[in-house]
Amino acid sequence: MTLPADGPDADGTDPSRSGAHATGLGTGHSTGLSAAEVAERVERGQVNDVPVRSSRSTREIVRANVFTRFNAIIGVMFGIILVVGPLQDGLFGLVIVANTAIGIVQELRAKRTLDSLALIGEARPQVRRDGRAVQVPNSEIVLDDTVLLGIGDKVVVDGLVSEADGLEIDESLLTGEPDPVLKRPGDEVMSGSFVVAGAGAFTATKVGREAYAAQLAEEASRFTLVRSELRSGINDILRIITYLLIPTAIGLIISQLAVQGNDWREAVRRMVAGIVPMVPEGLVLLTSVAFAIGVIRLGRKKCLVQELPAIEGLARVDTVCLDKTGTLTEGGMDLVELRPLEPGRRELPAADGRLRPGAPSADRIFADRAVLQQALGAMGGADARPNASMQAVIDAYGAPDGSGAGGGEGSGAGSGWRVLEAMPFSSARKWSGVQLLEPQGGEASWLLGAPDVLLPAGDPVLADVDELGAKGLRVLLLGRSPVPLDAPDPAAELEPLALVVLQQRLRDDAADTLRYFEGQNVRAKVISGDAAVSVGAVAAHLALPGAETALDARTLPEDAEQLAEVADRTAVFGRVTPQQKRLLVGALQARGHTVAMTGDGVNDVLALKDADIGVAMGTGSDATKAVAQIVLLDDRFATLPSVVAEGRRVIGNIERVANLFLVKTVYSVLLALLVVITQVPYPFLPRHSTVLSTLTIGVPAFFLALAPNNERARTGFVRRVLRLAVPGGIIAGTATFTAYMLARANHDTDLEADTSVATLTLFLVAIWVLAIVARPYTWWRLLLIGTMCFAFALVLWVPWLSDFFQLSLAGVRDPWLGVVIAAVAGVLLEVVWRVVVLRMNGEER
């Protein structure tokens, strides 16, 4: 049995984390397997050996980084240069090797981080062996093990129910059916489902790879490279480039063989020099590296990213739905008051709305504080896995053995109370109950739950409840009913006996985290199962905008459009059922919002699953961690800003470097086309392309990809990148080819001098593109640009470097003409940047 605090929030939290009575069902049941039986099954291989992997294997990482489409193209080109020589024209091949190695190393580092974090966050189910309940890793469960279940536990292998105490299983992740299924002994349970009510145990019938559902659960919860706008956008760009590359390369090969017919080696070198720059090989690499480093950085903050693009997704979020308990408040609670209600002095509204005298009270002994404490202690004794609310009651009035902190006269279990039947908490009911044989010989049902659910509307006690809730306190109603628990409505003749007042512990970092989201234009909405007035009080204490207009979810409209309107304008919701949480997330998404949902209990699972990004607390239920993309292993809500910042860094910086790579691709394709049309030698050798790519793209892109970047992520990645890349590439290619042809007109027999002028012009234009992309400037970005310029100057001025790269500027006229052309191209780039990019970005905002 699990008792609620004031609604589903407290009771979605995995109660086994509280530390008391985590053994599930107690005496009178199977002792489970013996140590010898376990060893025998291990020897036969009847073990749950399905590997739970948080990341790709080492082999998959190496294969994904080495065997790529563009590495194949570059590898072929490198092999050709090794044949025709000289070796300096094959430097681009070494760059590819280095880049691939960097990608592998970074992803392996990320894998180690993820694997270690996943091990920390992995569910450790309880099994009964030799009569004792023990926690074991998933991989150590054997066939015929008796696996214990409590609220929030995930079913990790297939089996048959052997014990059930109001056991309800949610199988929506497997079947899509949202309603929990009541399980009785002999019923089947499947891995991937989870417990939403009651307790029980099952015998494992299929373990390891025999359980198909287990394979589904593993696949659903493993680290995956799912579709994201960033990755899909880059793939779209690469696909377009591939279509352009093939015909352009064929034309270039034919033209260079025709032009350099008397020197086929030179023709091949020029052809390779034209093809290699078209390939934006570093773009994919830097995207992987940026994500991998993001995972490592977040891992240091005890944040497990179960799906890589979740970093990107949270950066795009504009609405965060917060579950109050476990997110804004800590899991623990303190009982601050037990307020007995005087029986017989209350007037209750009858069904027709008229007041009637208070219902005949039970023996007035039940108004005695000590007796109420004993009853609460007995209820605690019936709770095999107390949640935070019940644990506070146990701490105050006695553990099940009567030895609790508040033992003495008020202790429960040892005071003559006997549990006859228990009804576990349900999110739909918002209360739980125990049928007790009382010390005086009477028998009655004792209920504990939400006052506004157990009491009729207009009951005067609700005024006290609202007053306490307005102070941010959590209130439970303790009542007694002569109606049996198995009746259709055990609360029908409930006599309210006391209010149990609990105080939640606000997280120290909650207010600062909400301020961060507010400053980033991300709206925060609190969606809780608690009473709306209580939730509003907590939100108001944290200065959440809109907290003063908390809404009771029982008044939510059923019409989808009206619901979307209410969801959009309201900041705080109380008395929200699990299904309503899911509907609110969907309503916000229907309004075009990108929604993140945080939670820790089984009542949050449906909403976490449907949200764009699900964030689970590390001490939350196994079910929430299975469906969430991000798990905060140390339960620190304040880690979320770090995830948002990391996502924005990745997206913003990849967009920057994508501009650099695609400008190069565009001008390379344009130069190749112009060379094919004019039937002139390609202006560069592979070594020239290497030095240009390294100084204007490769090295700068690496630093820019890892730099801080807090700009909010927006949709339309491909469209924005192409706005600068296409005109920028056209300007760079046109300027370079113009300088090259003017130099050829002056001395068409000195190909080295012509190539040098073209290289100078292209470097100046490309460095201008870098200067635009690197904005806004910081000291290190200016230093980066200056260093690249200085390095190129060394290549031109140091004799052995200029000889190695075959660069020699002849005379004064052509070099300065190249500078002037580059300056004009720079002005055009500024016009493109300001008129096209900035204006259209402003329209997006």
Side-chain angles (χ1 to χ4, degrees):
M1 183 193 78
T2 301
L3 300 175
D6 192 13
D9 279 42
D11 332 300
T13 305
D14 183 355
S16 67
R17 301 326 195 259
S18 63
H21 323 304
T23 58
L25 298 178
T27 60
H29 298 285
S30 165
T31 59
L33 298 177
S34 66
E37 290 171 325
V38 171
E40 179 185 351
R41 283 161 175 76
V42 171
E43 186 176 352
R44 292 203 301 257
Q46 297 172 328
V47 184
N48 191 43
D49 60 351
V50 175
V52 179
R53 298 186 297 158
S54 63
S55 58
R56 295 189 290 181
S57 67
T58 301
R59 177 181 296 180
E60 290 172 332
I61 290 172
V62 173
R63 184 167 58 241
N65 281 274
V66 173
F67 299 104
T68 66
R69 181 189 332 172
F70 293 120
N71 273 8
I73 295 172
I74 298 298
V76 171
M77 296 298 103
F78 181 66
I80 292 172
I81 291 299
L82 289 181
V83 173
V84 301
L87 186 59
Q88 54 261 48
D89 280 329
L91 290 177
F92 63 87
L94 301 179
V95 172
I96 296 302
V97 171
N99 285 347
T100 302
I102 291 172
I104 293 173
V105 169
Q106 291 293 357
E107 195 163 347
L108 287 176
R109 287 183 61 201
K111 170 184 166 59
R112 285 195 297 270
T113 300
L114 285 168
D115 287 347
S116 62
L117 292 177
L119 187 62
I120 295 172
E122 181 185 4
R124 294 177 64 87
Q126 295 187 29
V127 298
R128 191 182 292 133
R129 292 178 180 173
D130 292 319
R132 295 186 302 109
V134 294
Q135 281 191 330
V136 297
N138 286 339
S139 58
E140 293 184 11
I141 293 177
V142 300
L143 190 68
D144 300 326
D145 248 333
T146 299
V147 184
L148 306 183
L149 294 174
I151 289 182
D153 286 348
K154 186 172 70 171
V155 179
V156 293
V157 294
D158 295 354
L160 295 177
V161 175
S162 57
E163 307 163 19
D165 181 9
L167 182 64
E168 296 181 25
I169 302 288
D170 189 316
E171 299 177 342
S172 61
L173 300 183
L174 299 175
T175 66
E177 295 294 332
D179 296 329
V181 179
L182 181 65
K183 296 290 185 179
R184 296 180 175 86
D187 289 346
E188 184 181 19
V189 291
M190 300 181 71
S191 57
S193 57
F194 57 92
V195 182
V196 294
F202 71 92
T203 302
T205 58
K206 291 183 179 180
V207 295
R209 304 177 193 277
E210 291 184 9
Y212 177 67
Q215 297 174 19
L216 293 180
E218 177 202 356
E219 192 65 27
S221 61
R222 63 177 287 191
F223 176 88
T224 54
L225 298 178
V226 299
R227 179 177 175 84
S228 71
E229 182 181 350
L230 189 61
R231 286 190 173 276
S232 61
I234 290 175
N235 288 336
D236 289 342
I237 291 171
L238 296 181
R239 187 164 53 251
I240 294 171
I241 291 172
T242 303
Y243 294 149
L244 292 174
L245 189 149
I246 296 174
T248 305
I250 293 174
L252 189 61
I253 292 170
I254 296 173
S255 70
Q256 291 307 290
L257 288 175
V259 172
Q260 300 283 353
N262 59 337
D263 189 349
W264 68 270
R265 292 179 181 272
E266 183 70 11
V268 169
R269 283 195 292 269
R270 299 273 170 177
M271 174 270 294
V272 170
I275 294 176
V276 169
M278 298 181 196
V279 181
E281 71 289 337
L283 181 57
V284 178
L285 165 76
L286 284 178
T287 302
S288 299
V289 169
F291 271 129
I293 292 179
V295 167
I296 294 169
R297 288 177 175 176
L298 292 175
R300 292 171 183 158
K301 298 179 182 290
K302 295 295 186 287
C303 176
L304 172 61
V305 182
Q306 301 199 99
E307 296 184 12
L308 193 62
I311 302 177
E312 169 193 347
L314 195 53
R316 299 188 188 279
V317 161
D318 59 16
T319 304
V320 177
C321 296
L322 307 169
D323 174 40
K324 177 174 70 67
T325 304
T327 302
L328 300 180
T329 61
E330 295 180 357
M333 295 187 190
D334 300 310
L335 194 151
V336 295
E337 182 184 1
L338 177 63
R339 182 180 294 186
L341 302 173
E342 295 187 17
R345 296 187 181 180
R346 303 165 52 253
E347 290 190 340
L348 306 177
D352 57 6
R354 295 178 297 175
L355 293 177
R356 63 179 175 83
S361 69
D363 191 325
R364 285 182 178 273
I365 189 173
F366 294 121
D368 181 77
R369 184 183 300 271
V371 174
L372 294 175
Q373 291 175 353
Q374 291 174 8
L376 286 169
M379 297 181 81
D383 192 344
R385 294 189 172 193
N387 58 36
S389 304
M390 196 66 230
Q391 188 61 47
V393 172
I394 292 174
D395 291 342
Y397 302 130
D401 60 1
S403 60
E409 184 181 0
S411 297
S415 304
W417 300 77
R418 181 181 171 193
V419 177
L420 301 178
E421 188 178 351
M423 180 174 288
F425 169 79
S426 165
S427 295
R429 290 191 303 266
K430 291 188 170 61
W431 56 264
S432 61
V434 179
Q435 193 162 339
L436 293 173
L437 182 63
E438 300 160 348
Q440 296 76 22
E443 181 179 323
S445 298
W446 289 72
L447 307 183
L448 184 68
D452 52 346
V453 173
L454 291 174
L455 294 176
D459 191 296
V461 173
L462 293 178
D464 294 337
V465 173
D466 289 343
E467 181 181 351
L468 292 168
K471 299 176 182 178
L473 298 171
R474 173 173 265 181
V475 185
L476 307 175
L477 178 75
L478 176 65
R480 181 179 181 275
S481 172
V483 180
L485 277 182
D486 56 3
D489 185 9
E493 300 180 25
L494 185 74
E495 169 125 12
L497 297 179
L499 295 179
V500 180
V501 185
L502 304 170
Q503 186 175 50
Q504 300 174 101
R505 304 164 188 167
L506 288 177
R507 291 188 179 275
D508 295 336
D509 49 25
D512 291 339
T513 305
L514 291 178
R515 296 291 78 72
Y516 170 84
F517 284 125
E518 185 179 356
Q520 297 296 320
N521 295 320
V522 177
R523 297 189 304 169
K525 295 180 180 291
V526 181
I527 301 178
S528 173
D530 285 355
V533 63
S534 176
V535 181
V538 172
H541 184 76
L542 298 172
L544 178 71
E548 66 281 355
T549 56
L551 180 69
D552 192 315
R554 289 173 294 189
T555 66
L556 285 173
E558 294 185 3
D559 178 74
E561 184 59 34
Q562 293 178 358
L563 178 63
E565 172 65 26
V566 173
D568 206 13
R569 70 168 185 263
T570 307
V572 178
F573 298 86
R575 286 287 172 251
V576 187
T577 65
Q579 187 63 30
Q580 284 179 318
K581 286 189 177 186
R582 185 181 203 175
L583 292 174
L584 285 171
V585 168
L588 290 167
Q589 291 171 325
R591 281 296 181 102
H593 296 294
T594 304
V595 182
M597 177 75 198
T598 70
D600 64 347
V602 293
N603 56 323
D604 303 315
V605 169
L606 297 177
L608 284 169
K609 182 184 176 187
D610 284 2
D612 296 286
I613 297 295
V615 182
M617 297 297 168
T619 56
S621 69
D622 298 335
T624 56
K625 290 186 286 186
V627 301
Q629 287 86 20
I630 294 173
V631 180
L632 306 180
L633 293 174
D634 59 358
D635 284 2
R636 291 188 66 246
F637 179 44
T639 305
L640 277 183
S642 298
V643 182
V644 173
E646 197 62 39
R648 292 184 174 182
R649 182 191 65 78
V650 170
I651 295 174
N653 290 340
I654 293 304
E655 190 167 317
R656 287 179 187 272
V657 301
N659 278 307
L660 293 177
F661 281 103
L662 296 183
V663 164
K664 181 190 76 167
T665 297
V666 172
Y667 72 61
S668 298
V669 171
L670 178 60
L671 283 173
L673 291 174
L674 292 173
V675 165
V676 170
I677 293 171
T678 57
Q679 293 292 296
V680 296
Y682 190 78
F684 304 116
L685 290 171
R687 69 194 78 174
H688 303 135
S689 299
T690 298
V691 72
L692 287 169
S693 297
T694 301
L695 297 181
T696 64
I697 300 170
V699 174
F702 184 81
F703 286 97
L704 291 176
L706 304 181
N709 191 329
N710 293 320
E711 183 180 355
R712 180 175 167 182
R714 294 164 291 155
T715 57
F717 165 75
V718 175
R719 186 174 63 253
R720 282 196 309 278
V721 168
L722 294 181
R723 284 177 192 161
L724 179 62
V726 172
I730 291 173
I731 291 170
T734 302
T736 302
F737 195 73
T738 300
Y740 175 61
M741 293 303 290
L742 290 174
R744 279 185 60 79
N746 189 34
H747 36 66
D748 58 358
T749 59
D750 191 350
L751 188 55
E752 181 176 330
D754 301 338
T755 294
S756 300
V757 171
T759 304
L760 173 65
T761 305
L762 183 53
F763 174 82
L764 293 175
V765 178
I767 209 71
W768 203 310
V769 173
L770 172 62
I772 290 175
V773 169
R775 295 170 185 166
Y777 295 133
T778 58
W779 68 267
W780 67 265
R781 288 178 178 169
L782 292 174
L783 178 62
L784 177 65
I785 296 171
T787 302
M788 297 302 100
C789 293
F790 179 71
F792 184 73
L794 290 179
V795 171
L796 292 178
W797 295 335
V798 175
W800 71 268
L801 284 176
S802 61
D803 291 341
F804 181 85
F805 286 104
Q806 203 169 323
L807 289 173
S808 176
L809 293 173
V812 176
R813 171 184 170 274
D814 291 337
W816 277 107
L817 187 59
V819 172
V820 171
I821 292 173
V824 173
V827 172
L828 292 176
L829 287 171
E830 293 291 345
V831 171
V832 169
W833 174 257
R834 297 181 185 279
V835 175
V836 179
V837 178
L838 293 182
R839 178 180 296 176
M840 297 189 76
N841 283 351
E843 291 174 359
E844 286 184 359
R845 294 189 179 95

